[in-house]
Amino acid sequence: MADKKSKEIKKNSKEVILRSAKVLFAMQGFELTTVREIAGKAGINVAMVYYYFNTKEELHQNIIDNAFKSFSQSLKEGVGQGKGSEDKIYDVIKVYITFLHHHKDIHRIILRETISQSKHIDMIVKKYISRNFDLVHSIIKEGVQKGTFREHDSTLSTFSLIGMILYYFTYEPIFIRLISPEKRKKPITEFLPDHIFNLFIEGVKG
Amino acid sequence: MADKKSKEIKKNSKEVILRSAKVLFAMQGFELTTVREIAGKAGINVAMVYYYFNTKEELHQNIIDNAFKSFSQSLKEGVGQGKGSEDKIYDVIKVYITFLHHHKDIHRIILRETISQSKHIDMIVKKYISRNFDLVHSIIKEGVQKGTFREHDSTLSTFSLIGMILYYFTYEPIFIRLISPEKRKKPITEFLPDHIFNLFIEGVKG
DNA sequence: GCATTAACTAAACGTTTGTTTAACTACTCT
DNA sequence: AGAGTAGTTAAACAAACGTTTAGTTAATGC
């Protein structure tokens, strides 16, 4: 019985490190987060971090990779295939907002990476972001072809749509200080999707 | 004659420090930029930084303050008073984009500050951001009152408008990797204002 | 039950950081 | 001309950082 229990209780140090690091990187950024801090939060020795990851940067990169894999899957699963263009757009908005709301830490890590113009940003764009962008772009292009949306620069509007969504999470610290207290109590997932959907659809409708 | 020349040539160290620090903070962020680096770029001794500013953080805060003062002035000057609501919105978009295009470093510094949830962010919002937000908000509210814009949540749309603008600068490193090369050559100030204006106005039109 | 590997630890390493000190010019005012 | 102040410098400070080392404990396979 000791065998089984120890297997259950046994803490998977690598995963504990990843979880702790994710929170700390999101809160404080890469540079301001020390390896000792990560180890402390994970309840393990500093050297363990270097046992599983070669460098602090490799750990960071690992977290970003996991995040994008997770999101790309959500996006593919969340957008209905047989639907019309407007419904697909609504799905996209819903998936983005729902995911970001539950993974704020991930968004902040990637945002920091973007601003920092890190060496990895090229790889990240090619491997992940451009795929997600193309998926949304193709929905809008399809809508234009079918006449659901008017003729316009679909590349720019794709960027604007994603921009309208991400912006709320990017500037959330400022947003919660600007909107009224009663609305502040409602989770962002309740009022934001419809607002962005209406604004965007009216702007591109045929 | 030596007098006059020395007066002309005499480098104003404080301003050189501010200029050098602004560029470096924007490029690398607060933590990754060292005081020695700033001094090196400014061509002065490290101790000079501490002669003019008590700490590295005070220097940083000084740069942010100057930036917001400069932008708030541009916004007040750039928005025509006697115009209709749509024209005023266009002015707002134009001022934001023009300013951000010429002061990308400032935007990145403030963006970092926002993400970092720094202790100063409360002060910054109260002192600067909320004022600018209210200015844009009042234009939209006026438009709704006059019937130029439809009835809707004007707080949210104000945020969305500013969001659509800022997003292009926040995610510019990704944007330039996604859009077509021929469009990439044009400065953002040429195609972006009209695009955002059309998208937004169609979305809120009465 | 013993050897081999994996998981883990305390302590130390060299480097870099923000900041301070104390001394030195150069200019201004009297 | 000489005191006083503003501007500037090289050198040093302690603290904190990412990373490594050498050694210990726990689990596994034969």
Side-chain angles (χ1 to χ4, degrees):
Chain A
M1 78 170 212
D3 307 315
K4 203 162 189 193
K5 224 169 200 173
S6 71
K7 257 186 193 169
E8 279 170 13
I9 292 174
K10 177 204 174 195
K11 61 175 173 185
N12 191 336
S13 293
K14 190 172 178 179
E15 280 193 17
V16 180
I17 292 170
L18 281 167
R19 270 203 303 276
S20 305
K22 188 168 75 179
V23 175
L24 289 169
F25 282 149
M27 271 180 16
Q28 313 171 332
F30 179 77
E31 297 90 14
L32 228 61
T33 302
T34 69
V35 182
R36 282 167 180 83
E37 225 174 344
I38 295 168
K41 193 179 173 68
I44 48 113
N45 189 279
V46 213
M48 281 304 288
V49 175
Y50 291 91
Y51 181 73
Y52 288 111
F53 307 92
N54 287 322
T55 60
K56 181 187 172 188
E57 195 159 323
E58 191 179 302
L59 167 61
H60 190 241
Q61 201 57 28
N62 215 300
I63 290 168
I64 292 174
D65 254 56
N66 292 342
F68 268 112
K69 277 177 192 153
S70 167
F71 176 69
S72 296
Q73 205 187 334
S74 296
L75 194 59
K76 272 180 200 157
E77 287 171 359
V79 180
Q81 286 298 347
K83 294 181 180 175
S85 301
E86 288 201 12
D87 287 346
K88 280 184 184 174
I89 291 294
Y90 191 79
D91 285 349
V92 166
I93 295 171
K94 199 84 185 175
V95 168
Y96 263 91
I97 292 175
T98 306
F99 187 91
L100 289 167
H101 184 248
H102 291 103
H103 301 86
K104 287 178 182 172
D105 41 10
I106 285 170
H107 172 247
R108 277 169 70 173
I109 290 172
I110 293 159
L111 180 57
R112 282 180 207 273
E113 199 74 357
T114 308
I115 307 168
S116 300
Q117 298 253 41
S118 77
K119 338 158 203 159
H120 305 118
I121 194 71
D122 253 313
M123 188 272 283
I124 293 173
V125 171
K126 273 185 193 134
K127 200 168 167 192
Y128 302 110
I129 297 180
S130 67
R131 275 171 170 66
N132 300 338
F133 182 87
D134 288 345
L135 198 150
V136 181
H137 193 192
S138 67
I139 293 171
I140 295 177
K141 276 192 289 190
E142 194 190 51
V144 172
Q145 227 168 15
K146 285 185 183 167
T148 317
F149 303 148
R150 67 176 164 82
E151 278 289 340
H152 71 287
D153 187 329
S154 60
T155 309
L156 269 181
S157 68
T158 304
F159 207 70
S160 292
L161 173 60
I162 300 175
M164 278 194 274
I165 299 166
L166 291 189
Y167 179 73
Y168 279 87
F169 294 93
T170 304
Y171 284 87
E172 203 195 31
I174 289 176
F175 183 60
I176 58 170
R177 285 175 172 84
L178 287 174
I179 59 166
S180 59
E182 62 262 32
K183 188 158 277 175
R184 214 181 298 171
K185 281 170 195 158
K186 284 194 198 163
I188 214 167
T189 46
E190 264 185 41
F191 61 88
L192 193 55
D194 286 0
H195 171 76
I196 290 182
F197 179 75
N198 291 332
L199 202 60
F200 183 76
I201 290 296
E202 289 300 321
V204 296
K205 206 145 75 173
Chain B
M1 76 171 214
D3 308 314
K4 202 158 189 196
K5 226 171 198 172
S6 72
K7 258 186 193 172
E8 280 171 11
I9 293 175
K10 178 204 178 194
K11 61 177 169 183
N12 190 339
S13 294
K14 189 172 178 180
E15 280 193 16
V16 180
I17 292 170
L18 281 167
R19 269 203 302 276
S20 305
K22 187 167 75 178
V23 175
L24 290 168
F25 283 148
M27 271 180 16
Q28 313 171 331
F30 180 77
E31 296 89 16
L32 228 62
T33 303
T34 68
V35 182
R36 281 168 182 81
E37 224 173 345
I38 296 169
K41 193 178 173 71
I44 48 114
N45 188 278
V46 214
M48 281 304 288
V49 176
Y50 292 90
Y51 180 74
Y52 288 111
F53 307 93
N54 287 320
T55 59
K56 182 187 174 189
E57 197 160 320
E58 190 179 303
L59 167 61
H60 190 241
Q61 201 57 28
N62 214 301
I63 290 168
I64 293 174
D65 254 56
N66 292 343
F68 268 111
K69 278 176 192 154
S70 166
F71 175 70
S72 296
Q73 203 185 335
S74 295
L75 194 60
K76 272 180 201 156
E77 287 172 0
V79 179
Q81 285 297 347
K83 296 180 179 176
S85 300
E86 288 202 11
D87 287 345
K88 280 184 184 172
I89 290 294
Y90 192 80
D91 285 347
V92 166
I93 295 171
K94 199 85 186 176
V95 169
Y96 263 91
I97 292 175
T98 307
F99 187 90
L100 289 167
H101 184 247
H102 291 103
H103 300 87
K104 287 178 181 173
D105 42 8
I106 284 171
H107 172 246
R108 278 169 70 173
I109 291 171
I110 293 159
L111 181 57
R112 282 181 208 270
E113 198 73 359
T114 307
I115 306 167
S116 301
Q117 298 253 43
S118 77
K119 338 158 203 163
H120 305 119
I121 194 73
D122 253 314
M123 188 273 283
I124 293 174
V125 172
K126 273 185 194 133
K127 200 168 167 191
Y128 302 110
I129 298 180
S130 66
R131 275 170 168 69
N132 299 338
F133 182 87
D134 288 345
L135 198 151
V136 181
H137 193 192
S138 68
I139 293 172
I140 295 177
K141 276 192 290 190
E142 194 189 52
V144 173
Q145 226 168 17
K146 285 186 184 167
T148 318
F149 303 147
R150 67 174 164 83
E151 277 289 340
H152 71 286
D153 189 328
S154 60
T155 309
L156 271 180
S157 69
T158 304
F159 206 71
S160 292
L161 173 60
I162 299 175
M164 278 192 273
I165 300 166
L166 291 188
Y167 179 73
Y168 279 87
F169 294 92
T170 304
Y171 284 85
E172 202 194 31
I174 291 176
F175 183 61
I176 58 171
R177 286 174 171 83
L178 289 173
I179 59 166
S180 60
E182 63 261 31
K183 188 158 281 181
R184 213 180 300 173
K185 281 170 197 157
K186 282 193 200 164
I188 215 166
T189 45
E190 264 186 41
F191 61 88
L192 194 55
D194 285 0
H195 170 76
I196 291 181
F197 179 74
N198 291 333
L199 203 61
F200 182 77
I201 289 296
E202 288 300 320
V204 297
K205 205 145 75 174

